[in-house]
């Protein structure tokens, strides 16, 4: 957003920030939140604090004092942001995703050599998990978690290692009760938090990083949350008509338990259904058209089968029967075999087009990350503290939601972030 566009929206940013950050005790804190948010929205290659202060014409020390050192609580701010985002967007799905922040040196909080999908390789980076409200035409982040790697968890039996980790945690001011847990576990935490704030969950959508975890899927089911989640081709399931049977009983000892026959992979189940089961589905319009696709239709071939996922952690009924879900698979024209797979707990009468639309709605989050990182400096934070990272991410989320609000309510007043 250039200076002229920011001027055109007048006092709307101040009013927006005043509402979102109303939980901050002091007027000067709320004012600095507005200054920081404007700095994030203004054009500029770097959105770290010194370049932003120069563009804004304010004392540089004002920003790090507010972001890094001031102990304001992000929870009530995020609660307000989540309410405003859900009211604005009326989401069809909450999408869970994760991203990485490449960093130099070793001083940033929770920095470790780890795999990052953003980098496409193992690198020196931070990791974060987020939940976003999404429709086919709009999206916004609702909540965040900074991933604490195992190498930052001082709950270890080796005293020397524990002491070294504890010292590093103190330098980054990491809360004493913050421990390593999986990204799927953090995602469930955020869903619980959002629901405790009064948000009403639509369908949950996630990539295979979380979706392939049977405990994660069961966690959603235990919370009565419907889902459409990606899984790997090798994920095991039974056909819907498979039934558990017991071996013959000799009359001696305990009667044998009823068991399912060996499960098949999702890939094998779809291959068994065959190409004849595929249907072409268009799930949205893209931006790249051409002679063969003048409307830029995003389309491919799909099949949906009723299956029973196989995993010993999945609860069964009294007869040992596993629950049924949808197995959705994409098999593009010209591909030798299916390429992508999802499990879904949507009702049995859900149409194929709706299954596909929700499975593919994850693309909106890539759009969010692009705006958040490229336009609003999500990964430009140079501070080293745990609290500073959470403050910065919350302020970026506020700036993103303001621009999304203007874009949806009066698109003439702003350009892209």
């Amino acid at each position: 957003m250039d200076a002229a566009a920011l001027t055109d929206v007048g006092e709307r940013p101040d009013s927006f920030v005043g509402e979102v950050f109303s939980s901050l005790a002091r007027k000067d804190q709320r004012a600095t939140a507005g200054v920081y948010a404007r700095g994030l929205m203004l054009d500029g290659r770097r959105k770290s604090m010194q370049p932003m202060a120069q563009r804004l014409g304010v004392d540089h020390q004002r920003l790090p004092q507010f972001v890094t050192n001031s102990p304001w609580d992000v929870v009530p701010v995020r609660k307000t942001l989540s309410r405003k985002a859900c009211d604005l967007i009326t989401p069809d799905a909450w999408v869970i995703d994760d991203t990485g922040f490449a960093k130099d040196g070793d001083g940033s909080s929770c920095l470790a050599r780890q795999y990052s999908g953003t980098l496409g390789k193992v690198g020196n980076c931070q990791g974060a998990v987020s939940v976003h409200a999404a429709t086919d035409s709009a999206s916004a982040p609702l909540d965040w978690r900074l991933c604490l790697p195992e190498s930052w968890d001082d709950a270890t039996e080796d005293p020397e290692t524990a002491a070294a980790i504890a010292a590093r945690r103190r330098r980054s001011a990491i809360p004493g009760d913050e421990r390593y847990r999986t990204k799927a576990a953090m995602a469930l935490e955020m869903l619980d938090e959002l629901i405790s704030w009064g948000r009403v969950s639509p369908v949950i959508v996630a990539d295979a990083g979380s979706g392939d975890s049977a405990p994660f899927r069961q966690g959603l089911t235990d919370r009565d949350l419907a889902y459409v989640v990606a899984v790997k081709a090798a994920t095991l399931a039974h056909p819907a008509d498979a039934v558990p049977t017991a071996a013959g009983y000799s009359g001696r000892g305990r009667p044998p338990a009823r068991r399912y026959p060996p499960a098949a992979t999702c890939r094998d189940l779809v291959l068994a259904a065959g190409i004849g089961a595929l249907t072409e589905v268009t799930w949205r319009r893209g931006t790249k058209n051409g002679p063969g696709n003048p409307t830029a239709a995003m389309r491919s071939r799909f099949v949906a089968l009723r299956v029973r996922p196989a995993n010993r952690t999945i609860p069964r009924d009294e007869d040992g029967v596993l629950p049924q879900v949808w197995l959705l698979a994409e098999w593009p024209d010209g591909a030798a075999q299916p390429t992508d797979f999802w499990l879904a707990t949507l009702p049995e009468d859900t149409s194929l087009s709706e299954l596909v639309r929700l499975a593919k709605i994850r693309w909106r989050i890539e759009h969010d990350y692009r705006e958040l990182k490229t336009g609003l400096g999500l990964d430009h934070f140079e501070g080293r503290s745990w609290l500073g990272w959470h403050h910065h991410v919350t302020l970026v989320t506020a700036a993103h939601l303001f621009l999304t609000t203007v874009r949806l309510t009066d698109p003439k007043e702003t350009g892209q972030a």
Side-chain angles (χ1 to χ4, degrees), residues 166-215:
R168 181 166 55 169
R169 289 169 63 102
R170 284 193 296 272
R171 287 194 295 272
S172 293
I174 294 175
D177 60 353
E178 190 67 29
R179 295 284 173 250
Y180 165 78
R181 57 256 197 247
T182 65
K183 292 178 180 178
M186 287 187 285
L188 291 174
E189 285 177 14
M190 286 188 285
L191 296 179
D192 288 340
E193 185 168 56
L194 288 165
I195 292 168
S196 75
W197 293 344
R199 309 290 81 81
V200 178
S201 171
V203 176
I204 304 300
V205 176
D207 65 11
S210 296
D212 206 52
S213 165

Side-chain angles (χ1 to χ4, degrees), residues 57-80:
V58 299
D59 179 9
H60 164 246
Q61 292 303 318
R62 180 180 179 184
L63 302 185
Q65 172 62 32
F66 173 69
V67 175
T68 305
N69 302 321
S70 181
W72 54 274
D73 189 356
V74 301
V75 171
V77 179
R78 291 183 184 177
K79 182 178 180 180
T80 301

Side-chain angles (χ1 to χ4, degrees), residues 133-270:
T135 67
D136 292 319
S137 58
S139 52
L142 302 176
D143 207 1
W144 296 88
R145 290 291 186 276
L146 178 61
C147 300
L148 188 135
E150 290 183 86
S151 60
W152 282 76
D153 192 334
D154 58 357
T156 175
E157 295 181 358
D158 179 26
E160 187 174 342
T161 301
I165 295 174
R168 181 166 55 169
R169 289 169 63 102
R170 284 193 296 272
R171 287 194 295 272
S172 293
I174 294 175
D177 60 353
E178 190 67 29
R179 295 284 173 250
Y180 165 78
R181 57 256 197 247
T182 65
K183 292 178 180 178
M186 287 187 285
L188 291 174
E189 285 177 14
M190 286 188 285
L191 296 179
D192 288 340
E193 185 168 56
L194 288 165
I195 292 168
S196 75
W197 293 344
R199 309 290 81 81
V200 178
S201 171
V203 176
I204 304 300
V205 176
D207 65 11
S210 296
D212 206 52
S213 165
F216 171 73
R217 298 196 305 270
Q218 188 59 43
L220 297 177
T221 298
D222 291 343
R223 291 163 172 79
D224 293 323
L225 301 177
Y227 62 76
V228 181
V229 297
V231 295
K232 296 177 183 176
T235 298
L236 296 175
H238 302 282
D241 58 2
V243 293
T245 58
Y249 181 45
S250 66
R252 295 180 180 180
R254 179 180 298 177
R258 301 178 71 210
R259 300 182 184 278
Y260 279 93
T265 66
C266 288
R267 178 190 286 114
D268 288 342
L269 289 170
V270 175

